[in-house]
Amino acid sequence: MVDLFLNRVLVENNWDQDELNTEREIIGILENRIVLLLFASTDNEKCQEFLPIVNDFFKRLKDPAYIEYPKLLTLIYISLDQSEEQQERSLKEMHKKVLFLAFEDPYRKELQAMFKVKDVPTVVVLRPDGSVLSPNAVQEICSFGLDCFSNWQESAEVVERTFMLNEEFDNLNMRTATDPVKRLKYKTEDDKRKKRWWKLWVKGKDQYEVEEEKEEAWDTKSKERDKGTWRKR
């Protein structure tokens, strides 16, 4: 996927229309993502009907106003318009996180030929490795809405790394992003078992048993001390 746009210029549909043209920027915006290539033309009636649908679809998967964690999804608008003014009209209606190729960029036509796009609108869905997941997902988006992304994500095996916790923690889906901090502050029995297991692995069984006896003796003394304090009260 990244290779498809290396040495190319992708433009962000924000107020400044920032250009992404370095290898680092392209990798950052495309790596490990499902990419939608939207081929459309402003003067086409079907495109006029579909653009608000796909824009809302993308917005509800990327905008923090609608979703807590934006999905690993990128939408690139490939204009097949006859003029730059027509392209600009479409982009004004689209989300600011949409990317596009400049009207004068001949790569628009190359992509059209590469993916054999004959009709508009067409949404080509690409896996992170650049292979085609769906040659045209227009009908799928119109029929199933946001459920499409879950299906694509499962099929493409996209990994949500942004909020993944350290692998030593089990049951990752049940924990929050602040859970490691909480576990450092509030020791649990589970933490103690893992600590003992690690000692067994590193030091060997005999030394582990000595360390465990010390810990048990310390726990016993602590409990007796607490009981003594309670009796004095």
Side-chain angles (χ1 to χ4, degrees):
M1 168 51 56
V2 173
D3 294 342
L4 193 63
F5 289 96
L6 280 181
N7 302 318
R8 302 291 175 178
V9 178
L10 288 172
V11 185
E12 291 184 304
N13 191 38
N14 54 25
W15 180 263
D16 297 321
Q17 294 198 340
D18 298 318
E19 294 185 351
L20 307 176
N21 53 16
T22 68
E23 182 175 345
R24 181 177 182 180
E25 289 172 330
I26 297 297
I27 291 175
I29 201 70
L30 297 181
E31 189 177 39
N32 190 45
R33 294 172 186 260
I34 290 173
V35 175
L36 308 183
L37 301 181
L38 170 59
F39 295 85
S41 176
T42 304
D43 61 357
N44 182 279
E45 185 176 347
K46 291 182 179 178
C47 291
Q48 292 174 7
E49 295 175 356
F50 180 68
L51 285 178
I53 296 173
V54 70
N55 187 54
D56 184 69
F57 171 82
F58 180 74
K59 180 168 60 177
R60 291 178 179 276
L61 289 170
K62 295 293 292 185
D63 198 322
Y66 294 89
I67 188 168
E68 185 175 4
Y69 300 141
K71 299 301 182 181
L72 295 175
L73 177 71
T74 298
L75 175 61
I76 303 177
Y77 179 69
I78 313 296
S79 168
L80 299 182
D81 290 306
Q82 299 302 313
S83 69
E84 188 172 4
E85 289 74 19
Q86 288 179 333
Q87 176 175 305
E88 288 297 324
R89 283 208 305 270
S90 293
L91 290 171
K92 285 180 180 179
E93 303 299 323
M94 303 197 74
H95 196 274
K96 63 181 179 180
K97 290 187 178 295
V98 170
L99 304 176
F100 66 94
L101 292 169
F103 181 78
E104 63 273 10
D105 192 338
Y107 196 49
R108 296 184 300 116
K109 296 295 184 180
E110 292 181 37
L111 288 172
Q112 181 185 10
M114 187 185 305
F115 293 103
K116 301 178 180 179
V117 175
K118 297 180 180 179
D119 300 319
V120 290
T122 291
V123 176
V124 180
V125 184
L126 301 176
R127 297 182 180 90
D129 63 3
S131 60
V132 177
L133 187 59
S134 174
N136 191 356
V138 169
Q139 189 59 47
E140 190 177 356
I141 292 172
C142 291
S143 299
F144 301 107
L146 301 183
D147 291 338
C148 289
F149 181 80
S150 299
N151 297 334
W152 298 336
Q153 186 178 32
E154 183 177 353
S155 299
E157 298 181 349
V158 175
V159 181
E160 291 276 6
R161 296 191 182 98
T162 310
F163 300 96
M164 184 173 286
L165 303 181
N166 192 299
E167 290 182 359
E168 78 175 48
F169 299 115
D170 55 354
N171 197 18
L172 293 180
N173 292 332
M174 298 299 293
R175 302 182 183 226
T176 65
T178 58
D179 187 73
V181 177
K182 294 178 182 177
R183 292 175 70 84
L184 289 174
K185 186 175 182 179
Y186 307 108
K187 295 292 185 181
T188 64
E189 290 300 321
D190 185 53
D191 294 327
K192 292 179 181 179
R193 285 196 296 271
K194 288 182 179 179
K195 183 178 179 182
R196 290 169 182 166
W197 177 87
W198 178 251
K199 288 182 178 179
L200 174 61
W201 178 267
V202 176
K203 296 181 179 179
K205 185 175 180 180
D206 294 337
Q207 189 169 354
Y208 162 73
E209 290 175 349
V210 172
E211 293 290 341
E212 187 177 37
E213 289 176 1
K214 289 181 179 180
E215 286 190 14
E216 291 178 352
W218 175 260
D219 290 341
T220 301
K221 289 181 180 180
S222 297
K223 291 178 180 178
E224 290 176 354
R225 183 172 62 252
D226 293 341
K227 289 181 180 178
T229 302
W230 175 256
R231 291 194 188 100
K232 288 179 180 179
R233 290 179 181 177

